[in-house]
Amino acid sequence: MAVFLDCFTGEEAGYLLARTSLTPEQPVFPMDPVLMPSLSARLSETGSSRDLLDLPLKVMLYEFFSLLLRTVPAADSPAPRSRSVYVEQCLHYLQAHYAENVTMESLSASLKLDRKYMSALFKRTVGLPPQQYLLQFRMSKACELLTETGCTIGEISQSVGYQDALLFSRMFKKVKGCSPKEYRLRHADTDIVL
């Protein structure tokens, strides 16, 4: 994801960008596969609203900078929340097993860590509890399947780890603000032709 450093304005823009390692010569940073797309989707939804936008957009901009500061901190700043090997293993496990019945007990057992310690370390590093990260990751995968395949809602539900399609639909609506069917209809004509 590229950041154009001259497009940010405001009293704090320079200060916040100075706290990252981004420069005009190096404007690219690694993107978190769950948090950034979720934030981007929220920004798009809020931007298309005709309601009062200044406060929600400001909150999301600060969330964006918070992710940047964690992802690409300045070289001279202390490395806040650097990802530990345990967190990397936890992320890999969740991303590899999201379609299965993952419990925090099975996750901590596979990593040979205490469940409470693992959850606290994960939340401190990633910014979300493991269960919330897994939910976001599953819904991100469900969105891909809804827009890129003709699979039924039931098939998608099972593909992302939910045996009960009604529970999946309820969780999807909680996270995305609409039902899976509505999401598919809204995004049906979003293909970009080059």
Side-chain angles (χ1 to χ4, degrees):
M1 175 176 281
V3 176
F4 300 99
L5 303 180
D6 59 351
C7 68
F8 294 108
T9 59
E11 294 176 21
E12 295 184 59
Y15 168 72
L16 290 171
L17 284 171
R19 292 177 59 192
T20 72
S21 59
L22 298 175
T23 65
E25 298 77 31
Q26 290 286 79
V28 178
F29 61 92
M31 185 176 87
D32 184 286
V34 171
L35 300 177
M36 280 294 186
S38 172
L39 182 58
S40 176
R42 286 178 35 225
L43 276 167
S44 295
E45 288 172 19
T46 303
S48 65
S49 170
R50 297 184 190 271
D51 297 333
L52 297 172
L53 296 178
D54 59 332
L55 292 177
L57 288 174
K58 189 177 277 193
V59 166
M60 284 182 252
L61 184 60
Y62 277 105
E63 284 182 56
F64 173 76
F65 273 111
S66 175
L67 282 171
L68 275 181
L69 292 172
R70 279 188 282 183
T71 307
V72 285
D76 59 351
S77 68
R81 302 179 181 175
S82 63
R83 288 191 172 173
S84 73
V85 173
Y86 294 130
V87 173
E88 292 295 336
Q89 290 174 341
C90 192
L91 286 167
H92 178 72
Y93 183 91
L94 291 173
Q95 292 169 6
H97 299 276
Y98 72 92
E100 301 168 16
N101 182 21
V102 177
T103 64
M104 293 309 104
E105 288 74 20
S106 66
L107 175 61
S108 60
S110 75
L111 300 175
K112 297 178 177 51
L113 290 175
D114 177 71
R115 185 181 60 80
K116 288 183 180 180
Y117 172 75
M118 179 210 60
S119 293
L121 180 63
F122 190 93
K123 184 175 182 182
R124 187 173 63 241
T125 306
V126 175
L128 294 171
Q131 302 93 325
Q132 188 67 32
Y133 180 90
L134 178 61
L135 176 64
Q136 295 285 341
F137 191 82
R138 283 175 167 170
M139 295 308 143
S140 174
K141 290 294 183 184
C143 287
E144 287 177 25
L145 292 170
L146 285 166
T147 57
E148 297 173 9
T149 72
C151 294
T152 66
I153 304 299
E155 292 168 337
I156 292 172
S157 168
Q158 291 185 352
S159 296
V160 297
Y162 289 90
Q163 299 308 310
D164 182 353
L166 291 175
L167 175 61
F168 164 72
S169 293
R170 204 166 46 242
M171 297 307 290
F172 188 92
K173 186 168 187 173
K174 180 179 177 183
V175 172
K176 297 295 180 182
C178 64
S179 71
K181 183 178 179 180
E182 292 169 332
Y183 185 90
R184 175 175 268 166
L185 290 172
R186 285 183 193 169
H187 296 84
D189 299 318
T190 58
D191 292 342
I192 299 173
V193 180
L194 299 175

